[in-house]
Amino acid sequence: MMAMKPALDLFIDANIVFLLAFCLWSVVQALVSRTVLKHNYPAQLRLMKIALIVTMISPVMAHVAVSAGQFLWPKTPITVSDIAVASYLRGEISIPAVEFEALLNMRGRVLDALFAGEAPWLMALIAVFAAGALVQGIRLTASAASVGRAVGNSYVWRRIGRVDIRLSDTVSVPFAARGFRRHYVVLPSTLVTEPREMRLILAHELQHLRDGDVEWELAFEVMRPLMFWNPAFGFWKRSFDKLRELSCDQKVVARQRIGSQDYMDCLIGFCERQVTGPLPRAMHVAFFRAQDRSSKHAFRERIMALTNRPNSARMRLALPVLSCLLAVGVSLAAASVRQPGDWSQDRLMLSTIVNLERLEAINRR
Amino acid sequence: MRRRKSGDLLTEVELEFMNELWGLGEGSVRDVLDRLPEDRNLAYTSGATILRILDEKGFVESRKEGKTLVYTPLLQKDNYQSRSLENLSRTLFDDTPASLVARLVDDAKLTASDLEDIRALVERRLQDDGDETGT
């Protein structure tokens, strides 16, 4: 049972970093809205992907940040608990040392109580989490099976390298998905009689495949059973989905030499006719999703995004600067939540004060 | 190549193409497109795709004549009519064909002559059934 403690520690750290990284991303996005990248959604998506990758490898990045910090500023604390101890020793926090130490060690005490089976409410909380994770796991499996059925019931129209373009009588919203080896674009068979519309929609779905959006969707959905309870997960996913579509629309218009007016007409025409058809919940990237309440707003944003052409010439400096800012910020956030590994001089001093307070209490009796 | 199970129905555009193929007996993409109304304005590639899907679904078969693919219906029109009516009866009339006929007789603008023809058909069918049970 105690062998699970490091894993649980890592899980808690990952959740905190996920939340902190989203806060940092929100700040960067607010900055972006004041730069030349404001309407450059492909660049914003690239930034978000950098933030997410750094978040996913945050245990490694935290180690790098701590090592770099110790090398550059050996006496400067990096973790939140070390900073708090330093503040306490400087007299900036005025509570008894015993209480302060209890606060610092609260997470460890809660985990010890959990593994010792001493706190029934904690066990109940874990049971609720496990049930939630199970439900999410079942929904994930059902979605994967649903996408598999939709692909299986469709017919190969064309093959381009590792991509199968398929036509389906049962699907009304085009989507891109992937199997173990092949990628799939599934289009409603009714599009066969609308070649112009089909060309635009196909360009959109192939752009998703080129950008690796299906793999990102799978990564999010695989994480969901473990992260579903973390509000940051929902924030990240919604922001990512929105940027993914805006970016894809802009790239299609820029890359395929398709007029934005034609593309807008296609999007509007398609949504007018068939946005309410059956669609698996997850594990794919759909041309348009009308199942949620925010779809009308999302649709308006996509149309507005097409009226703004990104200025790629002026973003050469802004993008690397913001990428570095995000990577360093997320790494520092990950380092700051780490549990201190050894006894620093400050911690030894705090421990001495705690012992003195305890001795004083004993002497008073 | 995977073939669809035979009980499936045709989509609207597939039915349009099958109707032309049933009329032709067999034909190429160009033959079918030439029979469609002028305002249909369907691209050659779209027509070729629809016929290829019909081939994959097993509703038609194709053979090569020179550089052209010639398609022949594998499913007869009356068989498809029966299948389509069975499906309609099952999905919309609670699997009671009498309701379907009642709706047809009540609502469709049938003339007296149409009704006479229906009566003759029903009587002939009843007589055939009687003969079969008598023998």
Side-chain angles (χ1 to χ4, degrees), chain A residues 5-22:
Chain A
K5 200 177 171 190
L8 199 58
D9 253 334
L10 199 68
F11 175 67
I12 293 168
D13 283 351
N15 274 279
I16 297 170
V17 173
F18 218 60
L19 190 63
L20 290 175
F22 186 78

Side-chain angles (χ1 to χ4, degrees), chain A residues 151-158 166-167 169-170 189-190 192-195, chain B residues 2-4 9 11 13-14 40 42-43 45-46 49-50 52-53 56-57:
Chain A
V151 172
N153 289 331
S154 59
Y155 295 89
V156 177
W157 177 45
R158 278 181 193 172
R166 292 173 157 260
L167 295 169
D169 296 339
T170 53
S189 58
T190 49
V192 170
T193 55
E194 308 287 343
Chain B
R2 188 179 60 81
R3 296 234 161 187
R4 177 173 281 207
L9 295 174
T11 65
V13 69
E14 286 168 356
R40 193 68 176 85
L42 211 57
T45 48
S46 303
T49 303
I50 293 160
R52 196 158 67 79
I53 292 172
E56 278 196 41
K57 288 180 178 177

Side-chain angles (χ1 to χ4, degrees), chain A residues 342-355:
Chain A
D342 50 4
W343 285 85
S344 63
Q345 204 169 354
D346 286 354
R347 280 187 176 266
L348 285 170
M349 281 177 73
L350 177 69
S351 181
T352 309
I353 297 168
V354 170
N355 288 335

Side-chain angles (χ1 to χ4, degrees), chain B:
Chain B
M1 193 176 287
R2 188 179 60 81
R3 296 234 161 187
R4 177 173 281 207
K5 58 182 186 292
S6 58
D8 278 356
L9 295 174
L10 297 159
T11 65
E12 204 176 321
V13 69
E14 286 168 356
L15 184 56
E16 195 181 359
F17 271 58
M18 281 303 282
N19 269 321
E20 301 309 335
L21 269 183
W22 281 322
L24 281 166
E26 61 175 30
S28 64
V29 178
R30 180 53 61 204
D31 295 335
V32 175
L33 288 177
D34 285 347
R35 282 175 65 99
L36 294 176
E38 271 182 32
D39 59 349
R40 193 68 176 85
N41 208 13
L42 211 57
Y44 181 87
T45 48
S46 303
T49 303
I50 293 160
L51 281 171
R52 196 158 67 79
I53 292 172
L54 282 169
D55 192 1
E56 278 196 41
K57 288 180 178 177
F59 288 121
V60 301
E61 64 177 359
S62 61
R63 65 171 197 282
K64 263 207 151 165
E65 277 188 9
K67 285 183 179 175
T68 313
L69 277 173
V70 176
Y71 293 90
T72 312
L74 286 175
L75 177 72
Q76 297 311 306
K77 190 170 185 175
D78 49 357
N79 287 345
Y80 186 70
Q81 285 169 340
S82 305
R83 183 191 296 176
S84 191
L85 275 175
E86 270 170 32
N87 180 269
L88 194 65
S89 166
R90 193 174 59 247
T91 55
L92 200 59
F93 292 92
D94 305 326
D95 218 0
T96 49
S99 310
L100 191 153
V101 176
R103 176 64 58 204
L104 181 73
V105 172
D106 288 346
D107 288 0
K109 287 165 184 154
L110 298 178
T111 60
S113 157
D114 292 334
L115 290 170
E116 271 306 317
D117 288 347
I118 292 170
R119 188 212 298 265
L121 281 169
V122 172
E123 280 176 357
R124 198 169 66 209
R125 172 70 194 270
L126 285 171
Q127 200 175 357
D128 289 350
D129 284 357
D131 290 348
E132 275 174 26
T133 47
T135 52

Side-chain angles (χ1 to χ4, degrees), chain A residues 221-233:
Chain A
E221 290 307 322
V222 167
M223 276 200 297
R224 191 185 287 277
L226 288 176
M227 305 293 268
F228 72 96
W229 66 283
N230 189 336
F233 179 81

Side-chain angles (χ1 to χ4, degrees), chain A residues 233-251:
Chain A
F233 179 81
F235 298 149
W236 271 121
K237 181 73 169 75
R238 272 193 294 279
S239 303
F240 188 89
D241 286 355
K242 184 182 126 184
L243 270 184
R244 181 188 69 198
E245 292 308 318
L246 296 177
S247 160
C248 187
D249 289 343
Q250 277 192 343
K251 277 187 173 178

Side-chain angles (χ1 to χ4, degrees), chain A residues 166-168 171-174 186-192 198 270 274:
Chain A
R166 292 173 157 260
L167 295 169
S168 167
V171 160
S172 61
V173 180
V186 181
L187 306 168
S189 58
T190 49
L191 279 179
V192 170
M198 186 185 239
F270 185 82
Q274 43 194 358

Side-chain angles (χ1 to χ4, degrees), chain A residues 241-278:
Chain A
D241 286 355
K242 184 182 126 184
L243 270 184
R244 181 188 69 198
E245 292 308 318
L246 296 177
S247 160
C248 187
D249 289 343
Q250 277 192 343
K251 277 187 173 178
V252 169
V253 170
R255 183 190 166 100
Q256 306 279 340
R257 295 190 190 87
I258 291 168
S260 40
Q261 185 64 48
D262 276 354
Y263 192 74
M264 264 191 270
D265 288 347
C266 166
L267 197 57
I268 293 168
F270 185 82
C271 291
E272 268 176 354
R273 287 198 314 278
Q274 43 194 358
V275 289
T276 51

